[in-house]
Amino acid sequence: MLLNIILANSYSLIAQKQDRPNVIFVMPDDISHSSFSYYKDNAPRTPNIDLLGDESVRLTDFHVSPSCSPTRGALLTGRPSDVVGVWHTINGRNMMRADEITMADIFKANGYATGLFFKWHLGDNYPFRPKDRGFDYVAWIQGGGTGQQPDYWGNTNNEAHMWINDTLVEMTDEDDGIEGAFTTNFFMNRAMDFMEDNIEKNKPFFAYIPLGTAHAPHVLPPDAREGVSAKTGTIENIDKNMGRLIKFLDDKGIADNTILIFTTDNGAGGYLRGGKGSNYDGGTRVPCFVRWEVGNLGGKGKGRDVTPLTAHIDWLPTFMDVLDLKDVENRPEKLKIRGRSFKPFLDDDPTNDPLAYKNRAVVINDMWTEFPEKYKKLSVKKDDWNGDVIEHKWRLVRTSATSDWELYDVLTDLKQENNIISNPAYNGVVAELKEEYEKWFQLVEERASEYTRIIIGNKAEPKTTLHAHDFHGTVIWHQDDVKKGAPGSGFIAVELDKSGTYNFDLRRWPKEIEDKSTLTSGDENGKALNIASARIKIWNGDTIYVDEKKDANGGQDGVQFTIQNLPKGPAFIQTWFYNEAGEMEGAVYYNYVEHVNQ
């Protein structure tokens, strides 16, 4: 049994450094149960994922956040997403606070090689980039998906440029057994390069593979079978890549002693109520397969279900428990891991299942606001046990401060159609779950007023690009917004690493297409804009450091400002473009910043 393996004597496999299991965590985007033929007969064809499901321990009540960045923030820290500063996917509220300790930090501190492949979505600038958060090898796109505003200009899943350890690489058709070039193929190839390198070094690895597919916009992969939609083709391409990964592990002889996890990053409805963004089960409940044959977790003919409530915040403490990973020294109390290890539930012995875990509740929230709002889109999940039997699976729901509370027993009401909040028999349950929410919100409030600040002028990122995607107050999230000249302005919270002079280059188009664009041009790139002037304002509190306006030359790429005597420390930066009538015209979608050494 798992516990016997983990707690065995010094001759145990996992006690021997050279034989510590590798860990691979695969997490596609924006799909869930109904995307896989394992769960649905007329779903996309996913034979490799289906086989993995058959051979895995299946967490049947596993929950994530209802959208992209919050799931990632919670998963990587073992702490609720709102508590780590991530309660949105844009507007600077997707940046995980710089002092948070990540899963990669802990794996790295315990001797593992760490790699990130494809979608990060927790901040594109220092100190929020994956290489700043414990990852040795980074192959990624910026923003939250291909074609989003911070991404390399013009990227799609069929044609793209990606960053590999700070080197820009153009995606090509590789000899990988799948026809054509596609982002999922590319990043899985990089992941296998990383794995092979560390196999040769006899070093255990943690490969985090949060795929950006199948997030919209969907394009038909070159390998898609005839007649399928772009999304179906994308899902089936993911499945082919999972088949390649599984074969790679077999061919390298490391499959049995590799912990392979497959899950998704938010619910997508299907047979459950709600979908992405929902605070019902359809927004948060996703498949989760775990295979590790040496650890007695699955294998051929050994698949089984684990039914207790589990969540994204539980994976980090579970890895630490199962693999005997040491935490960082002197972890501050304010960064306490809030998830719980579900290791005791992974064996067949119910007598070792801790009451503290059985009695815990999980609060999941997805506010998409500038600051946290109490009672906004919340759910509280809790199992109700009678000895070793789960008798109820409660879900308390509320949409806003002005909406009514709702209570469901998802164990007997899978689609959450029967709101039983008014039944006095459940008053105690409701009171308990409300109290759990109140305690959770106290944790959120402790740092709710803080801004996550991009650090500019630091040697770790001497040239910084500030993106409209990160504006507080205005939604500009996709390159289509740039093409159509969507108007808007918002401030960006920064930290000036050094006092002195900074250069700012305010642009409509990114530098990667400066040879075929100007400040006002449109043509094949999009709508032409009548930009006549630009403005920059920098301040902190009541102190305004600069509020300057300049005429623009439409034939140039941008408007440059050189600002002297900026003080070291926190600040806010806001920029505008105006037309000849003095009205806001488009937006400063790209602001290139550099400290001037003196």
Side-chain angles (χ1 to χ4, degrees):
M1 294 195 321
L2 177 66
L3 286 182
N4 292 333
I5 292 173
I6 293 172
L7 301 177
N9 60 31
S10 60
Y11 294 100
S12 164
L13 281 174
I14 63 172
Q16 298 174 24
K17 181 177 180 181
Q18 65 272 26
D19 291 324
R20 287 179 297 172
N22 307 300
V23 178
I24 303 173
F25 200 106
V26 183
M27 187 170 67
D29 196 6
D30 272 12
I31 51 180
S32 191
H33 298 87
S34 59
S35 296
F36 310 115
S37 47
Y38 184 86
Y39 293 101
K40 185 180 178 183
D41 290 340
N42 62 345
R45 299 175 185 175
T46 55
N48 297 295
I49 294 169
D50 298 354
L51 179 60
L52 179 62
D54 285 336
E55 296 182 352
S56 292
V57 168
R58 299 171 291 269
L59 307 181
T60 63
D61 195 21
F62 178 74
H63 291 262
V64 293
S65 299
S67 66
C68 308
S69 300
T71 288
R72 288 157 172 73
L75 170 71
L76 290 173
T77 61
R79 291 160 46 74
S81 60
D82 305 73
V83 176
V84 304
V86 181
W87 52 79
H88 205 337
T89 59
I90 56 174
N91 296 145
R93 297 309 191 180
N94 61 299
M95 300 177 193
M96 182 170 60
R97 290 195 186 102
D99 61 352
E100 291 291 339
I101 300 162
T102 72
M103 187 179 288
D105 289 326
I106 291 176
F107 270 106
K108 186 174 182 178
N110 283 270
Y112 276 71
T114 56
L116 176 281
F117 307 92
F118 205 164
K119 177 170 176 172
W120 174 243
H121 207 185
L122 291 171
D124 300 319
N125 298 101
Y126 176 74
F128 307 111
R129 304 164 299 177
K131 73 174 188 177
D132 306 318
R133 311 312 298 264
F135 287 99
D136 302 314
Y137 186 110
V138 176
W140 68 316
I141 58 169
Q142 293 184 312
T146 52
Q148 292 192 20
Q149 195 262 330
D151 192 18
Y152 190 88
W153 186 259
N155 272 359
T156 71
N157 285 317
N158 281 334
E159 297 182 20
H161 292 75
M162 277 78 70
W163 293 101
I164 311 299
N165 295 327
D166 296 329
T167 298
L168 187 66
V169 175
E170 183 176 4
M171 181 175 69
T172 59
D173 185 5
E174 301 181 67
D175 185 18
D176 53 24
I178 299 180
E179 177 187 351
F182 200 67
T183 50
T184 311
N185 310 348
F186 178 88
F187 285 107
M188 195 64 79
N189 290 339
R190 303 293 76 74
M192 288 189 283
D193 290 345
F194 164 80
M195 295 174 200
E196 185 155 28
D197 180 56
N198 285 288
I199 291 168
E200 292 175 358
K201 295 175 180 176
N202 200 26
K203 184 170 185 175
F205 58 78
F206 167 56
Y208 174 48
I209 312 176
L211 301 174
T213 47
H215 193 291
H218 304 117
V219 295
L220 196 68
D223 63 290
R225 57 191 172 93
E226 187 175 352
V228 302
S229 68
K231 185 172 183 179
T232 291
T234 298
I235 294 169
E236 293 182 351
N237 173 270
I238 292 171
D239 181 76
K240 292 175 187 176
N241 277 285
M242 284 302 297
R244 293 177 54 225
L245 174 61
I246 291 168
K247 184 178 185 301
F248 173 86
L249 299 178
D250 288 335
D251 291 347
K252 297 299 178 181
I254 62 171
D256 291 349
N257 199 32
T258 294
I259 303 175
L260 176 60
I261 297 103
F262 180 87
T263 188
T264 66
D265 78 332
N266 52 251
Y271 62 89
L272 301 169
R273 180 177 178 179
K276 180 177 180 177
S278 167
N279 47 327
Y280 297 100
D281 258 27
T284 68
R285 186 174 169 185
V286 298
C288 191
F289 303 153
V290 187
R291 193 188 73 176
W292 178 32
E293 193 157 8
V294 165
N296 198 33
L297 299 180
K300 292 181 180 179
K302 299 177 183 178
R304 53 190 169 88
D305 292 340
V306 172
T307 60
L309 170 65
T310 52
H312 47 12
I313 58 173
D314 299 328
W315 265 116
L316 177 55
T318 300
F319 283 141
M320 295 171 70
D321 197 5
V322 168
L323 302 176
D324 193 28
L325 303 179
K326 307 303 181 186
D327 199 358
V328 297
E329 292 186 9
N330 302 316
R331 174 187 286 269
E333 177 63 22
K334 71 176 183 178
L335 303 182
K336 178 181 177 181
I337 293 174
R338 298 290 172 176
R340 294 176 183 266
S341 169
F342 51 77
K343 181 186 78 172
F345 294 89
L346 295 176
D347 61 25
D348 297 317
D349 181 6
T351 64
N352 62 25
D353 298 343
L355 285 174
Y357 188 106
K358 288 182 175 182
N359 291 330
R360 69 84 177 255
V362 176
V363 178
I364 296 178
N365 181 272
D366 205 28
M367 286 180 278
W368 287 30
T369 53
E370 171 67 348
F371 292 99
E373 295 180 13
K374 197 169 188 180
Y375 306 127
K376 177 82 184 293
K377 290 182 67 175
L378 72 93
S379 63
V380 187
K381 293 280 296 182
K382 187 178 188 298
D383 286 345
D384 186 4
W385 293 75
N386 182 2
D388 299 327
V389 177
I390 300 173
E391 292 192 327
H392 303 280
K393 282 186 171 288
W394 303 119
R395 188 173 190 116
L396 183 72
V397 173
R398 195 170 182 182
T399 303
S400 71
T402 58
S403 67
D404 294 330
W405 291 95
E406 303 169 42
L407 179 69
Y408 301 93
D409 181 358
V410 186
L411 187 64
T412 57
D413 180 20
L414 188 64
K415 296 184 178 180
Q416 297 149 97
E417 297 172 325
N418 182 25
N419 179 11
I420 54 178
I421 193 77
S422 60
N423 188 331
Y426 305 123
N427 287 351
V429 172
V430 172
E432 179 185 356
L433 298 181
K434 285 182 179 179
E435 182 181 357
E436 291 289 344
Y437 175 79
E438 296 293 335
K439 290 189 292 186
W440 172 88
F441 197 77
Q442 286 180 4
L443 293 175
V444 176
E445 280 191 308
E446 287 177 5
R447 304 182 69 182
S449 63
E450 293 182 21
Y451 287 100
T452 46
R453 295 181 178 273
I454 295 169
I455 297 178
I456 59 178
N458 186 279
K459 64 180 181 180
E461 190 180 41
K463 297 181 180 180
T464 300
T465 306
L466 301 179
H467 294 100
H469 180 275
D470 297 325
F471 284 167
H472 289 267
T474 297
V475 176
I476 296 174
W477 71 281
H478 200 273
Q479 290 176 8
D480 284 345
D481 292 327
V482 182
K483 293 177 183 179
K484 67 185 180 184
S489 179
F491 65 83
I492 294 179
V494 302
E495 180 89 15
L496 300 170
D497 189 67
K498 304 178 182 71
S499 60
T501 301
Y502 286 80
N503 288 335
F504 299 84
D505 184 0
L506 281 55
R507 298 195 180 201
R508 184 259 177 101
W509 300 108
K511 281 187 175 182
E512 51 259 39
I513 58 169
E514 63 184 3
D515 61 333
K516 54 183 178 180
S517 65
T518 66
L519 190 62
T520 58
S521 67
D523 303 325
E524 73 276 9
N525 294 323
K527 178 183 176 182
L529 295 180
N530 177 26
I531 297 173
S533 62
R535 176 185 168 200
I536 185 169
K537 180 181 178 181
I538 305 175
W539 75 97
N540 187 44
D542 295 330
T543 303
I544 298 174
Y545 302 138
V546 63
D547 190 348
E548 184 176 340
K549 193 172 183 180
K550 272 189 177 182
D551 290 339
N553 181 339
Q556 295 183 346
D557 291 309
V559 181
Q560 288 77 41
F561 292 83
T562 298
I563 311 298
Q564 298 178 335
N565 300 318
L566 286 175
K568 174 183 171 68
F572 298 97
I573 297 175
Q574 189 162 359
T575 52
W576 297 263
F577 283 141
Y578 298 102
N579 59 28
E580 291 177 351
E583 301 163 332
M584 189 161 58
E585 181 85 354
V588 179
Y589 306 108
Y590 304 90
N591 183 1
Y592 297 94
V593 187
E594 185 175 6
H595 180 263
V596 179
N597 292 320
Q598 295 177 320

